[in-house]
Amino acid sequence: MKRKVKVFIMGIIENNTVLNVMPVGFDNRLSRKALIGICGLSDRQVRKAIEDIVESKQAIIINMHKGYFIPNLENKTDRDYYRLFISQEESRINKLNKKMKSYNKMSEKILSALNE
């Protein structure tokens, strides 16, 4: 079997493994360490599977208070944690955007000085 096909198939298997054990609801959340133990995958494989699942829109998986879970949006507590998670992610994005603007300005100054 060609390597790319094998890696693709393994990714699907890992994603399904993680998705099948991912709990629903904040009260049922699992630590990444627990997910690693249950799934028999490495830390990196679990993180990658969660990323793939979310990016492919198979499920909403959030990490709050040291645990991963699929929020039950019909439950007020889960909705509140989901909103908090989104707010935290948006804050991270804003901070990264500010940092990138600073990097770009600094590199423009340096490159401009080199071209003089």
Side-chain angles (χ1 to χ4, degrees):
M1 186 179 297
K2 292 190 177 191
R3 175 147 170 70
K4 285 185 179 182
V5 173
K6 186 176 180 183
V7 169
F8 176 75
I9 291 170
M10 291 306 296
I12 291 171
I13 292 168
E14 291 163 3
N15 291 0
N16 286 337
T17 301
V18 171
L19 188 56
N20 287 335
V21 301
M22 188 61 63
V24 174
F26 174 79
D27 291 338
N28 301 314
R29 69 194 180 280
L30 291 172
S31 68
R32 193 164 65 226
K33 185 176 181 179
L35 286 169
I36 290 165
I38 293 167
C39 296
L41 300 171
S42 71
D43 181 72
R44 178 68 191 123
Q45 289 170 313
V46 168
R47 287 185 289 119
K48 177 72 170 122
I50 291 169
E51 178 183 313
D52 290 347
I53 292 164
V54 171
E55 287 181 359
S56 65
K57 300 173 183 72
Q58 293 177 54
I60 297 170
I61 298 174
I62 64 175
N63 179 10
M64 293 294 297
H65 299 286
K66 300 182 182 180
Y68 288 87
F69 65 100
I70 297 170
N72 173 1
L73 297 178
E74 295 176 1
N75 176 287
K76 183 183 178 335
T77 301
D78 280 15
R79 274 196 315 271
D80 290 344
Y81 279 119
Y82 175 71
R83 288 182 182 122
L84 178 60
F85 174 79
I86 293 301
S87 176
Q88 290 172 343
E89 291 295 292
E90 287 173 343
S91 176
R92 266 191 208 126
I93 290 168
N94 290 334
K95 288 175 184 175
L96 283 172
N97 282 332
K98 286 178 184 177
K99 184 188 278 187
M100 289 308 301
K101 284 179 184 177
S102 294
Y103 285 143
N104 287 332
K105 284 182 182 179
M106 287 186 287
S107 65
E108 285 173 14
K109 280 184 178 180
I110 293 167
L111 292 173
S112 175
L114 292 173
N115 289 330
E116 290 178 358

